[in-house]
Amino acid sequence: MPIRIQNDLPVKEILENENIFVMDEFRAMHQDIRPLQIGILNLMPIKQDTELHLLRSMSNTPLQVDITFIKMNSHVSMHTSATHLNKFYVTFDEIKNCKFDGFMITGAPLEQIPFEEVDYWDELCEIMEWTKTHVTSTFHICWGAQAGMYYHYGLNKSELPKKLFGIYKQHVLNRKVPLVRGFDDEFYVPHSRYTAISSDKIHNCEALTVLAESEEAGVLLAMANGGRQIFVQGHFEYDRMTLDAEYRRDIGKGIPIDVPVNYYPDDDPTKKPMLQWRAHGNALYTNWLNYYVYQNTPYELEEVK
């Protein structure tokens, strides 16, 4: 899939070196095609890492996708340069009168803070309400999924006894739903979080359909409104070394942390981690873009409602 991004976005070179087809603005302007408009509300501290993860994950369909990165008005990022944000990101105020085929709300390292105490919670609520009428399908990731299920359905998170950290086996529950088309009965996905929305709460919410779940990690994947809202409590988009970097960061800060589950061979952090989730991550993002964005969105974006 050609991903259209700004010519000088730093991750462009990395993607090209991975043989991922990235289209610059000049070439895109000369194609007679209506690309999908995807907005990404990037709430992670180090924006460039998440940009790379998500763009890589959406690179496996023949669809052309235009990406718009969005930042919060009500929060100042301390871990990404103002130059990068000002050059490659827009604010919600700048796009709130636009409509999008698809929209993504990322995670954020805020699990242990009550939602209402997050400094940009009111703005995030405004954005989540806006997605109901301005987006064909919204994809929520990790903390973004918990925030979405809390805002839309009143399902609050609870703190876990210790950090859920590692690669956990998942089971497909509803194979007929296109979002999990091509999935194996069992598959593995990274998790890295201190909180969860209990499986009972999610299963008992009539609006939500659970598609995949783990005995150890709880509900992974759920959707509502025929796929207009999708919630993922894990990280299909992580690369091989993401959990390794988190593990070594926490060790360096003196934060108590266990070796990530099912990650290093023999649980030995000196060994190269096993990459066990890439194929299912590619399938998930491809299915989302195809069945819930491309197949459902109107040709004229103004008709999204």
Side-chain angles (χ1 to χ4, degrees):
M1 174 188 67
I3 301 173
R4 179 183 171 185
I5 56 178
Q6 289 173 260
N7 298 352
D8 48 356
L9 185 72
V11 299
K12 180 174 183 285
E13 183 178 355
I14 299 173
L15 293 168
E16 289 174 333
N17 288 336
E18 295 180 10
N19 204 28
I20 292 173
F21 184 11
V22 180
M23 181 178 294
D24 63 29
E25 296 165 303
F26 176 80
R27 181 170 181 178
M29 287 173 61
H30 291 79
Q31 290 200 331
D32 186 17
I33 190 172
R34 206 289 253 169
L36 297 177
Q37 300 295 327
I38 305 295
I40 300 179
L41 179 63
N42 188 353
L43 303 175
M44 291 297 287
I46 303 175
K47 309 296 185 191
Q48 296 94 326
D49 288 352
T50 305
E51 293 162 11
L52 177 61
H53 295 163
L54 294 178
L55 292 176
R56 181 191 288 132
S57 296
M58 291 189 288
S59 66
N60 288 282
T61 82
L63 305 170
Q64 182 176 320
V65 176
D66 281 6
I67 301 295
T68 301
F69 288 109
I70 299 144
K71 62 181 179 179
M72 288 300 204
N73 279 320
S74 48
H75 177 78
V76 177
S77 178
M78 304 301 293
H79 300 278
T80 299
S81 73
T83 299
H84 184 87
L85 292 170
N86 292 336
K87 188 170 186 178
F88 300 113
Y89 281 70
V90 298
T91 64
F92 176 59
D93 283 345
E94 292 176 271
I95 55 93
K96 66 182 180 183
N97 294 322
C98 301
K99 295 194 174 182
F100 288 84
D101 300 298
F103 199 82
M104 306 181 76
I105 300 175
T106 75
L110 303 169
E111 306 105 294
Q112 294 169 292
I113 302 174
F115 291 118
E116 289 84 359
E117 294 181 16
V118 173
D119 61 359
Y120 53 73
W121 178 247
D122 289 343
E123 184 181 3
L124 181 57
C125 289
E126 182 184 0
I127 292 171
M128 289 191 288
E129 186 65 26
W130 168 88
T131 63
K132 293 180 181 179
T133 54
H134 288 72
V135 177
T136 299
S137 179
T138 304
F139 193 102
H140 308 71
I141 301 171
C142 199
W143 182 86
Q146 295 182 357
M149 285 189 279
Y150 179 62
Y151 176 76
H152 292 295
Y153 306 110
L155 307 183
N156 206 351
K157 57 186 168 67
S158 56
E159 192 157 347
L160 298 169
K162 63 178 181 179
K163 187 177 185 178
L164 185 74
F165 190 48
I167 314 301
Y168 293 88
K169 182 189 293 184
Q170 317 289 329
H171 304 272
V172 173
L173 302 184
N174 204 326
R175 180 166 298 285
K176 293 183 179 180
V177 177
L179 192 62
V180 291
R181 186 164 290 172
F183 276 45
D184 296 324
D185 290 338
E186 295 180 346
F187 61 99
Y188 291 84
V189 173
H191 288 261
S192 178
R193 50 189 165 86
Y194 289 94
T195 61
I197 296 178
S198 75
S199 295
D200 287 344
K201 286 182 180 179
I202 297 173
H203 280 286
N204 290 332
C205 179
E206 293 184 0
L208 292 170
T209 300
V210 177
L211 304 179
E213 187 170 13
S214 166
E215 293 178 5
E216 301 86 3
V219 169
L220 167 73
L221 184 58
M223 59 180 270
N225 297 324
R228 292 207 64 168
Q229 296 167 334
I230 291 169
F231 306 96
V232 184
Q233 285 199 101
H235 288 283
F236 284 89
E237 80 283 1
Y238 273 6
D239 65 24
R240 181 193 301 270
M241 303 305 293
T242 303
L243 291 184
D244 178 76
E246 292 185 13
Y247 175 68
R248 297 182 190 285
R249 177 200 65 198
D250 287 356
I251 290 291
K253 291 182 176 180
I255 298 173
I257 185 69
D258 293 336
V259 172
V261 173
N262 298 325
Y263 184 54
Y264 300 111
D266 305 318
D267 290 333
D268 183 351
T270 66
K271 295 182 177 180
K272 185 178 181 179
M274 296 291 292
L275 182 59
Q276 306 171 70
W277 59 91
R278 177 65 56 79
H280 283 87
N282 289 341
L284 177 72
Y285 282 92
T286 297
N287 289 345
W288 174 60
L289 285 171
N290 182 23
Y291 298 116
Y292 298 92
V293 181
Y294 177 69
Q295 300 290 345
N296 287 323
T297 198
Y299 186 81
E300 299 294 338
L301 264 176
E302 292 74 16
E303 296 177 9
V304 172
K305 58 183 179 180

